[in-house]
Amino acid sequence: MDMTYSNHSPVRLVAGRLALDFLNTANWSADGQVLQEKIESMADLDLWMTALGLPDASHPPSVEDIYTLRANLRFLFLSASQRMDLGQQLQSLAIPSSGSVESLRRQPILSLVAVSALAILSDARELERVKKCPGADCGWLFLDETKNARRKWCLMETCGNRAKAARNYAKKTGS
């Protein structure tokens, strides 16, 4: 079933980890500005959580809380020098629940995202496989889980194909 946000963008879960898919709820410019917002409302957040299989996770108070955590997390993943400071902030969000898997699924979604981010940040091998898509106006992060660590694009059928088409066009036109 294809799911789309209220702005008609498809929900795509391609990053390999909850925290990275959270970061990919926006398209980013090269300088880190949001070019296209996917979660414009709590209804969009519900759609994203359903696609993840977490429809019962609780909401943050506002979409601004989503944007703040997302911007801070993205900065954290892209800036090695700041990892420790924000890592401590994430630990305050990541309050593990004792109990069943069902009780975990009802935790605040931003806490679940924080736990996912901490798991990546605390594993040097995993952290070194976090890559940023070089696609124009994409900027998505993903975990490269290929054997030879050569995955380049968030999705070959979007960013990869656009880059190949641009290269072919440049060859044909000589530009």
Side-chain angles (χ1 to χ4, degrees):
M1 177 174 102
D2 282 340
M3 301 176 106
T4 57
Y5 295 105
S6 61
N7 65 8
H8 307 290
S9 296
V11 176
R12 292 198 168 123
L13 305 173
V14 302
R17 297 293 181 270
L18 172 63
L20 300 177
D21 278 322
F22 176 70
L23 297 179
N24 297 344
T25 58
N27 291 348
W28 301 86
S29 68
D31 66 353
Q33 300 300 310
V34 172
L35 294 173
Q36 182 186 29
E37 180 58 60
K38 311 289 176 142
I39 298 180
E40 296 177 347
S41 66
M42 290 300 176
D44 286 331
L45 178 64
D46 283 335
L47 182 72
W48 180 74
M49 291 181 345
T50 298
L52 286 164
L54 297 168
D56 298 324
S58 61
H59 286 183
S62 71
V63 291
E64 286 74 25
D65 293 323
I66 295 166
Y67 303 157
T68 299
L69 179 61
R70 189 179 60 199
N72 288 336
L73 272 180
R74 190 164 194 280
F75 178 75
L76 176 67
F77 277 105
L78 295 176
S79 172
S81 64
Q82 300 297 318
R83 286 191 180 118
M84 295 309 287
D85 295 339
L86 193 53
Q88 291 170 350
Q89 294 173 27
L90 285 174
Q91 287 177 342
S92 69
L93 277 175
I95 303 166
S97 171
S98 59
S100 68
V101 171
E102 284 307 310
S103 67
L104 282 173
R105 289 183 179 169
R106 289 198 245 341
Q107 292 296 308
I109 189 63
L110 297 186
S111 291
L112 296 173
V113 167
V115 168
S116 174
L118 283 171
I120 298 165
L121 293 166
S122 64
D123 183 341
R125 290 172 303 183
E126 192 154 296
L127 186 58
E128 74 184 23
R129 285 189 172 242
V130 173
K131 294 184 178 177
K132 184 170 102 172
C133 180
D137 298 335
C138 176
W140 281 13
L141 299 181
F142 59 90
L143 190 68
D144 181 356
E145 296 183 277
T146 61
K147 188 174 182 177
N148 60 5
R150 292 185 57 165
R151 179 176 167 191
K152 185 173 182 177
W153 308 102
C154 64
L155 283 170
M156 188 61 198
E157 56 266 17
T158 55
C159 291
N161 281 347
R162 279 189 223 126
K164 286 169 81 174
R167 278 194 310 270
N168 287 338
Y169 179 77
K171 274 183 190 177
K172 288 180 182 181
T173 60
S175 56

